[in-house]
Amino acid sequence: MKLKNNGKIIFKKIIIPVFSVLIIIFSWQLASIKINSPLILPSFFKVCKAFFYLIQTKIFYIQLAKTFLRVFFAFCLSIFAGIIFGFFCGKFQDVKKIISFPLAVLRVTPVVAIILILVFSLSSSAVPVVASVLMTLPVVMTTITEGVDSFFKNSRMNEMTRIFGFTRKQKIFYVLIPTLKPYLKSSVFSSFGMSWKVVVAGEVLCHPKYALGSALADAQIHLETSTVMAYTLALILINFIFEVILKYLCSEKKYSEEDTRPNPEKFIPQISENEKVALIAPSGFGKTTLLDYLSKTYNDVSYCFQENRLIGDCSVFQNIVIPLLNKYEKITAEKQADYFIQNLALEEKKNVKVKFLSGGQKQRVALARALAFPSRILLLDESFNSLDYDLKKSIMNFIKAELQKSPKTLIFVTHDEEEGKYLCDKVIKLTISKT
């Protein structure tokens, strides 16, 4: 099993990328032979020769250092300004409305136009930096604005901080910053690559001393196509290396411990056809992982997910009937949906959009969808947590009756042993296994 998984990982991480690169090289070489003109498309090997010559020259590293400094300065300035403006736009809607039009103008303005306009007022060395900031700032601002907006709209977290008396400093460090982290990461990755492209484009047009873009322009003027492509290859590799470093710096170290989750392949033989089995185990043990594995491994599976996964903009009836339309004629599908809506006490909410329902009502809709869908295996992942005792008992009795009429295998994940015993024939307590 372990060797099989390792083989899959190697295939995905090494063999597929290498194969992809080989396809590009082969296509390039084939096109070069077909065109038969080094001025239009030199061969891959000629470009490699030019590239290796390039990286042995001292001037290349001076050019690289200067270009990188421009990219780094522009990138940092964009992130800093984007965070500041994004925060105010997210907090104050009037500020957002004022800035929205200039941002929209920047988004649709071509990079070349911005560079050419800046040439009239700035030095050749400053133009690429300013152009990069103007192009990447809208990206960072928009992302940060969304993050700040989601923070202020999170009424539950705001209520929690009010009740427990969080200070402004605590709100910022323990709620706002963690909320903004994924948004900031997204803006960092998208803006870094853009910074490289805009800075190099600015250097090509403005021709500052010691710059990769200037070297590209010189090579193009002298019709040295292989050198142009060698510089392009260098830029791609450098950008890729810096993105990998950036990704590593932004990645969070995960706490690792010995995996104690159940092995699905060992667990499956314990279940017979049409048997009703309850799984009891502590949180984080891997019960949901096991159900996910079963849902992917077997056909004819119906699944009531732990987090319901309903379509918020569809009504209760639509959420239940849409999957059934792929299995039955329309009249039969609608009758089936109505039957489960009635038996799960959802008649009054039949035509109400799911996003307007309470947690318990959503749970019943998810249950109705899973029960109505024809299958050999029914998976229930803690499907009664949001229901009161009487309603829970009533629904469990209904499920038992349905399984008597139409037998199928039931695998029910729960923390409540009594619940498991009431609904199922067999209760399996999952325990830590070293094997």
Side-chain angles (χ1 to χ4, degrees):
M1 180 71 179
K2 210 165 190 178
L3 289 172
K4 191 177 178 183
N5 287 337
N6 288 340
K8 283 182 181 178
I9 291 166
I10 291 167
F11 182 75
K12 285 181 179 178
K13 291 193 173 180
I14 299 173
I15 296 174
I16 291 177
V18 168
F19 184 66
S20 177
V21 170
L22 289 174
I23 288 173
I24 293 169
I25 293 169
F26 177 76
S27 303
W28 181 346
Q29 195 64 17
L30 200 66
S32 176
I33 293 167
K34 188 77 175 171
I35 293 167
N36 196 25
S37 173
L39 186 64
I40 297 171
L41 183 64
S43 72
F44 171 75
F45 301 105
K46 192 172 182 181
V47 172
C48 284
K49 187 179 177 182
F51 173 76
F52 285 116
Y53 172 77
L54 195 65
I55 60 175
Q56 292 176 54
T57 60
K58 184 181 177 182
I59 191 70
F60 171 76
Y61 295 99
I62 296 171
Q63 292 165 345
L64 172 60
K66 291 280 188 180
T67 297
F68 176 73
L69 284 172
R70 291 187 187 99
V71 171
F72 182 74
F73 184 68
F75 171 70
C76 291
L77 198 58
S78 299
I79 295 295
F80 178 76
I83 291 171
I84 300 297
F85 286 115
F87 176 80
F88 283 105
C89 286
K91 188 173 183 182
F92 305 107
Q93 289 302 308
D94 289 339
V95 175
K96 187 178 178 179
K97 287 173 184 175
I98 292 166
I99 293 179
S100 62
F101 181 71
L103 281 182
V105 171
L106 282 174
R107 280 197 198 94
V108 298
T109 306
V111 178
V112 175
I114 288 175
I115 293 167
L116 292 176
I117 291 166
L118 292 172
V119 165
F120 294 108
S121 54
L122 299 172
S123 67
S124 60
S125 189
V127 168
V129 176
V130 177
S132 177
V133 172
L134 290 175
M135 293 308 297
T136 54
L137 185 60
V139 176
V140 181
M141 271 184 65
T142 303
T143 311
I144 297 298
T145 300
E146 287 175 10
V148 174
D149 202 36
S150 71
F151 166 74
F152 284 109
K153 285 181 178 177
N154 192 340
S155 56
R156 292 183 179 181
M157 286 302 290
N158 290 329
E159 181 69 5
M160 182 277 291
T161 56
R162 184 189 66 77
I163 289 169
F164 291 105
F166 274 47
T167 63
R168 183 175 293 179
K169 186 179 177 181
Q170 287 171 328
K171 281 184 184 180
I172 291 169
F173 281 97
Y174 298 112
V175 184
L176 176 61
I177 291 175
T179 301
L180 290 182
K181 259 186 182 179
Y183 293 94
L184 183 59
K185 282 182 184 178
S186 172
S187 62
V188 162
F189 291 126
S190 56
S191 62
F192 186 76
M194 193 183 291
S195 294
W196 267 103
K197 291 172 189 173
V198 178
V199 165
V200 173
E203 290 174 345
V204 168
L205 291 173
C206 300
H207 221 82
K209 193 177 181 183
Y210 300 124
L212 291 176
S214 301
L216 260 173
D218 288 339
Q220 190 269 335
I221 290 166
H222 293 100
L223 303 179
E224 297 171 354
T225 312
S226 55
T227 306
V228 171
M229 296 190 80
Y231 268 108
T232 305
L233 185 61
L235 283 164
I236 291 168
L237 290 173
I238 293 161
N239 189 22
F240 176 75
I241 290 165
F242 280 116
E243 281 193 354
V244 169
I245 293 168
L246 200 60
K247 192 175 282 188
Y248 174 76
L249 293 173
C250 289
S251 64
E252 292 184 13
K253 292 181 180 178
K254 294 180 181 177
Y255 174 74
S256 61
E257 58 180 21
E258 189 176 355
D259 192 3
T260 58
R261 293 176 295 181
N263 184 335
E265 292 183 352
K266 289 183 179 179
F267 172 78
I268 291 162
Q270 297 180 49
I271 301 177
S272 305
E273 192 174 354
N274 296 337
E275 191 173 23
K276 298 188 282 292
V277 179
L279 305 183
I280 314 288
S283 295
F285 191 80
K287 303 183 295 298
T288 299
T289 304
L290 178 58
L291 292 191
D292 289 342
Y293 174 86
L294 294 172
S295 70
K296 291 169 188 172
T297 307
Y298 292 93
N299 295 322
D300 287 337
V301 171
S302 185
Y303 197 164
C304 183
F305 305 98
Q306 192 176 124
E307 69 283 12
N308 73 62
R309 303 188 196 179
L310 299 168
I311 306 167
D313 282 313
C314 287
S315 68
V316 169
F317 179 75
Q318 287 174 315
N319 268 277
I320 299 165
V321 83
I322 287 169
L324 299 180
L325 291 170
N326 301 320
K327 295 287 184 178
Y328 303 116
E329 293 294 326
K330 188 180 178 184
I331 295 171
T332 308
E334 289 176 350
K335 281 182 180 178
Q336 183 86 334
D338 282 329
Y339 173 74
F340 284 95
I341 284 171
Q342 184 180 351
N343 281 282
L344 272 81
L346 290 164
E347 287 170 292
E348 292 182 4
K349 303 293 180 182
K350 178 180 174 178
N351 297 311
V352 176
K353 286 186 178 180
V354 162
K355 64 183 177 183
F356 298 122
L357 302 182
S358 67
Q361 289 166 342
K362 287 177 182 176
Q363 188 123 47
R364 278 183 281 150
V365 177
L367 265 167
R369 180 181 60 185
L371 293 168
F373 191 75
S375 63
R376 289 187 303 110
I377 302 170
L378 175 61
L379 308 176
L380 303 180
D381 192 357
E382 299 184 28
S383 300
F384 308 111
N385 285 356
S386 302
L387 309 179
D388 61 60
Y389 179 79
D390 290 335
L391 189 55
K392 183 193 299 184
K393 201 77 174 280
S394 170
I395 291 173
M396 283 199 284
N397 286 333
F398 171 68
I399 293 171
K400 286 171 80 173
E402 284 300 304
L403 294 177
Q404 283 286 119
K405 284 195 294 182
S406 304
K408 62 178 71 176
T409 303
L410 169 65
I411 302 173
F412 172 41
V413 160
T414 179
H415 290 291
D416 191 330
E417 191 172 343
E418 291 304 312
E419 233 178 49
K421 286 177 180 176
Y422 187 79
L423 186 59
C424 300
D425 307 321
K426 182 178 178 181
V427 175
I428 298 176
K429 291 184 180 180
L430 300 174
T431 54
I432 293 171
S433 172
K434 300 293 181 184
T435 58

